Amino acid sequence: MGLFDRHAGLLEAYRDVRTTGYDPFQIRMERVLSPTEAIINGRKTLLVGTNNYFGLTFDPSCMEAAIEAIRAEGTGTTGSRIANGSYSEHMALEQEIAEFYGKKHCMVFTTGYQANLGIISTLAGEGDQLLIDADSHASIYDACKMTQAEVVRFKHNDPSSLEARLRRLGDRPGNRVVVLEGIYSMLGDTAPLREFVDVCKKYNAYVLIDEAHSLGALGETGRGLCESTGVIDDCHFIVGTFSKTLGAIGGYCVSDDPDFDILRVTVRSYMFTASLPPSIVASVRQALKVVKAKPELRKQLWDNVATLYDGLAAQGFKLGPEHGPVVGVHLPDRMVAIGFWRAMLDAGIYVNVAVPPATPNGVSLLRCSVCAVHTPEQLNHMVEVMTGIGRQLGVIDDRTRRVIGGAR
Amino acid sequence: MIVENDGIADTLELRRESTLARGEVMGEICHHLAPFQVGEKPVAGDTVIAKDLTIDSLAIMDMVMELEDRFDVSIPMNVVAEIHTVDQLADTILKLHARR
Ligand SMILES: Cc1ncc(COP(=O)(O)O)c(C=O)c1O
């Protein structure tokens, strides 16, 4: 068996995808113009698939902070957090995030992926039990491959499914760690967090929640689902990323656990990689200030979500179950999804396409992510374009507005 | 399709704790796997799940979740990773069920 033979199935699927002309996994952003526009294939394109929920990538105050930091401290730290890579600014950022959540401790990582990978695989060790939602992000699944703990999946967003698995553990020794996400990245649905927390309390399990897609978007001050559902104090570990709402890169984990800092010398994805460059730390610190100072961005985001979601729903598209900064559009199969995606790109609109095996339940999706600084005109135009393509491809019906394609 | 295989050894091992019959477990597994059958060859005890059928790894894990709830056992992911055949899956479920 050759090195690449094991990927034969994937190669074939990938080849199918590429027969449509463009390769969705090798799109080139020839020039990014703003949080909502870029040049792709030589044409000005509306961006509705960038996770840039507040549009902060071009926020002048964040850009200035980054530029200033480069001038003051250089382009990179060239070292790990536990060696030469912890600057005053890293520490200050950690303190600011901890304060933002009202938690005692915070660790900043170089990416959110590494935060999940390291924290989850280290928190639950030999003899412990890790219980994860079936639709968890790849970083959580990869953590499960690294841990010595026993890993069990429960049904997506189903507290009774979690409860059955905790109950089955009975009085077996070991810590139980339950891993949830605030907003799920494919369909934009939120976890029933209060119900989950109740179950976890009943069975004495720790709660870790990844607020990657909900930071900024949910909660009165933008702390995520843990805030909007009023259970921050019951979430023992909150993980998040700087690569979405905060417009940069990096990850974090906050906690009140008095011994949390021991993780700084045990979590390998924290110890054995270089720390964030000063420019990123500076722009993230500023972005966090913007999130606090401009709650109107959150309102703008949700207004835009309503425009896109309700607009598409009215045309008969089958969408994720609720309003969210991620709007997932169900399509009947992989080839329709790719064809639809390509037609949109030809019409000057970029979204993400998500197809099996990267999606839950084998669904094929267009994954749209909304930005606070999209204009209503841009989003109405998008609904119009999608309606035209949807009718042409027979995904939505012309008159009855009944859903034809897609199933969950 | 349903594979009856109430081996004596199994019966002896299980009589003490549990009334779950191997046939019932095999029947349930085969029911879940039937849609992924290739050609006329029915799903049997020696079917290698990930290789002889068209089921992908995610669907296998989802099937395991259904079986867990059907038989009220939890099969950890690292255990699932070691299971190759239908027989092994059934044995695992019976073993975990007996241990409850
Ligand atoms: C739920 C979830 N967690 C973690 C991550 C990883 O974030 P990062 O881009 O910071 O590595 C992502 C982003 O893909 C995500 O969707």
Side-chain angles (χ1 to χ4, degrees):
Chain A
M1 183 164 137
L3 265 184
F4 291 91
D5 290 356
R6 74 177 91 255
H7 306 299
L10 196 57
L11 269 175
E12 201 173 303
Y14 195 27
R15 210 168 290 134
D16 277 356
V17 164
R18 281 189 294 197
T19 55
T20 59
Y22 300 146
D23 179 343
F25 308 112
Q26 295 203 31
I27 279 295
R28 188 191 318 176
M29 300 274 163
E30 284 147 22
R31 196 150 55 85
V32 175
L33 306 171
S34 75
T36 60
E37 286 181 326
I39 307 287
I40 301 176
N41 297 325
R43 127 170 229 169
K44 197 177 199 183
T45 302
L46 175 63
L47 301 176
V48 195
T50 59
N51 312 302
N52 196 356
Y53 301 122
F54 277 17
L56 294 186
T57 47
F58 282 81
D59 179 276
S61 70
C62 297
M63 294 201 296
E64 279 313 315
I67 292 163
E68 223 169 276
I70 289 190
R71 291 200 196 288
E73 305 201 86
T75 52
T77 67
T78 66
S80 142
R81 288 297 307 276
I82 57 163
N84 57 305
S86 279
Y87 294 9
S88 301
E89 285 70 21
H90 294 89
M91 315 288 206
L93 174 58
E94 285 176 338
Q95 177 144 20
E96 285 158 10
I97 297 171
E99 277 165 13
F100 180 55
Y101 283 98
K103 300 271 190 197
K104 292 199 183 70
H105 307 281
C106 174
M107 271 168 84
V108 161
F109 290 75
T110 305
T111 68
Y113 175 89
Q114 287 164 310
N116 271 340
L117 190 71
I119 291 281
I120 294 170
S121 65
T122 309
L123 271 181
E126 189 164 6
D128 295 333
Q129 294 92 23
L130 201 49
L131 298 105
I132 69 166
D133 186 286
D135 287 5
S136 289
H137 187 257
S139 53
I140 296 168
Y141 273 103
D142 289 357
C144 291
K145 285 191 185 166
M146 288 172 54
T147 178
Q148 304 295 311
E150 215 176 82
V151 183
V152 173
R153 300 162 87 223
F154 55 87
K155 286 187 182 158
H156 175 56
N157 273 355
D158 185 345
S160 66
S161 178
L162 169 65
E163 173 152 20
R165 281 152 182 78
L166 284 167
R167 173 182 51 72
R168 281 177 207 145
L169 289 171
D171 53 8
R172 281 182 48 197
N175 297 298
R176 283 81 159 129
V177 181
V178 173
V179 180
L180 306 165
E181 292 176 35
I183 292 179
Y184 281 83
S185 58
M186 286 295 154
L187 291 166
D189 49 336
T190 52
L193 186 55
R194 232 170 211 293
E195 292 79 355
F196 272 128
V197 162
D198 286 342
V199 171
C200 290
K201 277 187 181 164
K202 184 170 164 193
Y203 290 89
N204 224 349
Y206 291 96
V207 178
L208 181 147
I209 181 160
D210 178 358
E211 299 271 16
H213 294 272
S214 32
L215 172 63
L218 291 176
E220 204 177 332
T221 64
R223 287 179 282 181
L225 187 66
C226 60
E227 182 178 26
S228 63
T229 56
V231 296
I232 290 191
D233 291 343
D234 300 310
C235 294
H236 305 90
F237 304 94
I238 302 170
V239 175
T241 174
F242 306 146
S243 74
K244 304 183 196 296
T245 297
L246 301 184
I249 187 167
Y252 61 89
C253 178
V254 297
S255 173
D256 268 334
D257 195 294
D259 294 325
F260 186 70
D261 276 341
I262 193 68
L263 295 176
R264 290 187 199 270
V265 289
T266 46
V267 171
R268 297 168 67 84
S269 65
Y270 177 85
M271 300 160 67
F272 298 106
T273 193
S275 65
L276 286 172
S279 54
I280 298 296
V281 176
S283 84
V284 168
R285 289 181 69 189
Q286 179 56 30
L288 200 58
K289 289 198 183 94
V290 174
V291 167
K292 290 186 210 165
K294 293 189 173 172
E296 62 268 25
L297 286 172
R298 182 162 35 259
K299 177 166 186 316
Q300 269 167 249
L301 173 64
W302 286 99
D303 287 349
N304 283 345
V305 167
T307 301
L308 182 64
Y309 188 103
D310 297 347
L312 291 174
Q315 296 300 332
F317 283 101
K318 181 169 193 271
L319 307 176
E322 56 183 307
H323 278 191
V326 176
V327 177
V329 182
H330 283 273
L331 292 171
D333 61 48
R334 180 191 273 129
M335 292 315 277
V336 171
I338 304 278
F340 204 123
W341 170 85
R342 165 153 191 192
M344 284 181 75
L345 199 56
D346 285 340
I349 303 173
Y350 174 82
V351 296
N352 306 125
V353 62
V355 292
T359 51
N361 303 317
V363 298
S364 293
L365 294 171
L366 294 177
R367 178 183 174 279
C368 314
S369 57
V370 181
C371 184
V373 300
H374 279 132
T375 64
E377 292 72 33
Q378 285 175 323
L379 295 172
N380 285 326
H381 168 69
M382 171 163 166
V383 172
E384 244 170 68
V385 168
M386 288 184 74
T387 303
I389 299 169
R391 286 184 184 155
Q392 214 174 351
L393 295 181
V395 173
I396 50 170
D397 193 271
D398 252 324
R399 279 163 297 278
T400 62
R401 295 189 169 175
R402 198 168 41 80
V403 189
I404 293 181
R408 164 119 208 218
Chain B
M1 181 68 54
I2 293 175
V3 182
E4 286 294 343
N5 187 7
D6 268 330
I8 288 177
D10 289 328
T11 316
L12 285 177
E13 189 185 320
L14 295 172
R15 185 167 292 152
R16 197 165 36 93
E17 291 278 347
S18 134
T19 54
L20 182 59
R22 194 165 203 282
E24 194 186 342
V25 177
M26 288 296 278
E28 192 71 18
I29 297 172
C30 291
H31 168 74
H32 279 285
L33 291 177
F36 304 99
Q37 186 180 318
V38 181
E40 292 300 301
K41 196 166 179 293
V43 179
D46 62 355
T47 299
V48 180
I49 299 168
K51 225 167 102 196
D52 299 343
L53 307 170
T54 59
I55 190 167
D56 63 38
S57 56
L58 196 61
I60 292 176
M61 292 203 293
D62 288 343
M63 171 187 72
V64 165
M65 226 159 34
E66 297 294 336
L67 292 169
E68 285 178 333
D69 289 333
R70 171 70 178 73
F71 297 112
D72 200 26
V73 295
S74 293
I75 315 176
M77 280 171 66
N78 60 319
V79 174
V80 175
E82 300 291 311
I83 293 172
H84 302 290
T85 66
V86 169
D87 270 337
Q88 288 167 347
L89 179 54
D91 291 342
T92 303
I93 291 171
L94 287 165
K95 200 174 77 196
L96 289 168
H97 190 268
R99 221 194 269 156
R100 287 184 316 159

